[in-house]
Amino acid sequence: MITATDIFAISNQKQFEKIALKVFRYQHENNLVYRAFCDLLKIEPQKVKTLQQIPFLPIQFFKSHAVVSNTNPVQNTFTSSGTTGMITSKHLVTDISIYEESYRQGFSEFYGNIEDYVVLALLPSYLEREGSSLIYMVEDLIQLSNHPESGFYLHNHEELIKKLTELDQSGQNVILIGVTFALLDLIEKHQFQLQNTIIMETGGMKGKRKEMIREELHQQLCEGFGVTAIHSEYGMTELLSQAYSLGEGVFECPSWIQILIRDTEDALTYIPQGKTGGINVIDLANINSCSFIATQDLGKKNPNNSFEVLGRFDNSDIRGCNLMVI
């Protein structure tokens, strides 16, 4: 049996592939939805020897099925955002400690000790509904920062402007995590010149503004906050891990996540680095759900295994997954 300890201790490609294949066989055996999907593709698990041979479950299954790999009680149900009447995804989490370990270790890998930061969150569309995995993560990071100034902001922009300016001028390291439209709203009210603050956008206009290409969006945010780069987080309801971009829209993954790029015309074929295709995510932290997910995002992979998100297959169903449509 693969444990969370095994997953978060991965340190090289050989380990990743070995554990991923074990997780595939475990999920094929224990996840009824995934096994039925593999059966439709006539997959024989004993013949699956490489990552590219593993079937990736279309992300839409989370809207219509309970995608779980054990019979343990559900501890948390994360749901995607959506407009009224839209069918939303449900991620049934049977061990919330794995999610906590994933985002804590992932954050630490890219940003260091959380206690070095004041964490400010401007996530109105997420905060105003239940079941957001992003809110769960940010709320915990706020607590772990152990700083009295850390906290959520909703529509109290004036208070946030004052707090952000004071903290930055004092030399305090700050991370402002915000949904895209709310960050744009903030800089329309105040132009900043920040020296000690990281601006991290989580994507998503939530129908509040017209979608923008990343270059245009990040230029506006850089100018409005007075920073040289905009950081980004790539995550979604159906995953238990995040990739991070420290600028330029180039994302890197922690060691237990990998990205494959599939052909848009043939979902079972993969395309070379640098070419645009559909993003398949291997998230080994999703051991109790499904670790092999074919997303609706378009992207490309770079030679160093970093990747870029370039849009979506279906622009009519835009959610908060760091999606900037071209």
Side-chain angles (χ1 to χ4, degrees), residues 141-204:
L141 292 177
I142 285 171
Q143 294 298 318
L144 291 171
S145 74
N146 201 28
H147 200 292
E149 303 286 6
S150 293
F152 283 98
Y153 289 81
L154 195 53
H155 302 296
N156 44 340
H157 285 169
E158 296 304 323
E159 185 182 344
L160 175 57
I161 289 166
K162 184 172 182 290
K163 182 71 66 183
L164 192 53
T165 303
E166 289 175 353
L167 287 168
D168 188 84
Q169 289 178 351
S170 74
Q172 170 67 50
N173 292 326
V174 179
I175 293 184
L176 173 61
I177 303 174
V179 64
T180 305
F181 77 84
L183 293 174
L184 289 169
D185 288 348
L186 187 64
I187 60 173
E188 283 183 356
K189 294 186 177 178
H190 185 83
Q191 294 286 297
F192 296 87
Q193 285 298 322
L194 301 174
Q195 302 293 320
N196 301 293
T197 300
I198 292 170
I199 306 298
M200 182 186 295
E201 54 94 3
T202 66

Side-chain angles (χ1 to χ4, degrees), residues 211-252:
E211 294 292 325
M212 301 165 62
I213 63 169
R214 177 188 56 77
E215 289 82 359
E216 181 187 2
L217 169 65
H218 282 202
Q219 182 181 351
Q220 282 193 26
L221 292 176
C222 281
E223 290 173 358
F225 286 105
V227 296
T228 57
I230 300 298
H231 294 220
S232 304
E233 176 260 359
Y234 180 79
M236 56 190 72
T237 300
E238 300 84 359
L239 302 178
L240 288 186
S241 301
Q242 295 77 32
Y244 289 100
S245 166
L246 307 189
E248 303 298 324
V250 178
F251 290 91
E252 295 188 40

